[in-house]
Amino acid sequence: MLTRIDHIGIACENLDATVEFYRATYGFEVFHTEVNEEQGVREAMLKINDTSDGGASYLQLLEPTRADSAVGKWLAKNGEGVHHIAFGTADVDGDSQAIREKGVRVLYDAPRTGSMGSRITFLHPKDCHGVLTELVTAAPHEGTAGPASSSPSTTEH
C-alpha cells in the first residue's frame, strides 16, 4: 500500500545553483547527496518534513552527468522542472506487481537500487496520465521510509 509522497524529482541544469535557490528561498537544507553512475545523475535530497509513518518527504534535485542519461534527454526536451513523483511503500515488489496486474506498465522487471540503498521501480508515464511515477521502499538500515533514486533507464518520458 502506498503510504505517502516520498519525493518529487526536479531536473536541473546546475545542481549547486538549484540547491542554493531552495536553501535561500525556502530554507530547505541538503539531507543527502550522491552520484548514480548507472542512471547518469548527480542528486541532492532536500528534506521537507517528517511523516506520520516514520518516513519523510523530500525534493530530489537531479543534474545529469551525461547527455545520454534519461534525465539528460528529458532536460534537453523539456527544460528544468518536475521530472517525477515518488510514492513510499513498505513493499515495492508487491505493490509494483499489483499495479502491473491493473494494466500499468512497470518499467523494471525487478526493483533496482536507488538513493541510500532504497529499492525502486518506475511506472510508465503514458499509463499514469503523463506523470512518471516512482515506487520506493527505504533500505532496511535506514529504519524509516526514505528517499529514493532518480530516474528510470528509459527515454520514453
Side-chain angles (χ1 to χ4, degrees):
M1 178 172 98
L2 305 181
T3 57
R4 67 191 153 73
I5 295 174
D6 184 87
H7 67 271
I8 298 182
I10 300 173
C12 62
E13 298 281 350
N14 181 315
L15 185 65
D16 297 328
T18 306
V19 164
E20 179 55 24
F21 169 81
Y22 281 97
R23 189 203 59 73
T25 305
Y26 306 117
F28 299 152
E29 295 296 333
V30 173
F31 179 79
H32 175 80
T33 61
E34 71 181 71
V35 174
N36 185 319
E37 295 294 343
E38 178 186 353
Q39 295 181 13
V41 295
R42 186 168 75 108
E43 67 177 79
M45 299 298 279
L46 285 63
K47 187 174 183 180
I48 307 305
N49 67 321
D50 293 312
T51 62
S52 62
D53 68 356
S57 293
Y58 302 85
L59 286 179
Q60 180 185 45
L61 306 178
L62 303 159
E63 176 190 75
T65 59
R66 58 182 195 269
D68 69 341
S69 70
V71 172
K73 291 176 183 179
W74 187 91
L75 195 58
K77 180 179 176 185
N78 299 290
E80 294 184 309
V82 174
H83 180 263
H84 67 273
I85 186 168
F87 294 109
T89 174
D91 183 10
V92 70
D93 297 275
D95 284 340
S96 63
Q97 184 57 38
I99 291 169
R100 179 182 275 123
E101 290 170 2
K102 293 177 182 179
V104 175
R105 286 175 281 180
V106 178
L107 297 182
Y108 302 153
D109 290 333
R112 296 183 181 178
T113 301
S115 295
M116 298 188 303
S118 60
R119 298 187 73 238
I120 61 144
T121 195
F122 285 85
L123 310 178
H124 200 292
K126 289 182 181 176
D127 297 342
C128 298
H129 297 272
V131 178
L132 179 61
T133 303
E134 182 178 4
L135 304 180
V136 179
T137 297
H141 67 277
E142 291 297 313
T144 60
S149 176
S150 52
S151 67
S153 300
T154 182
T155 58
E156 295 184 69
H157 297 315

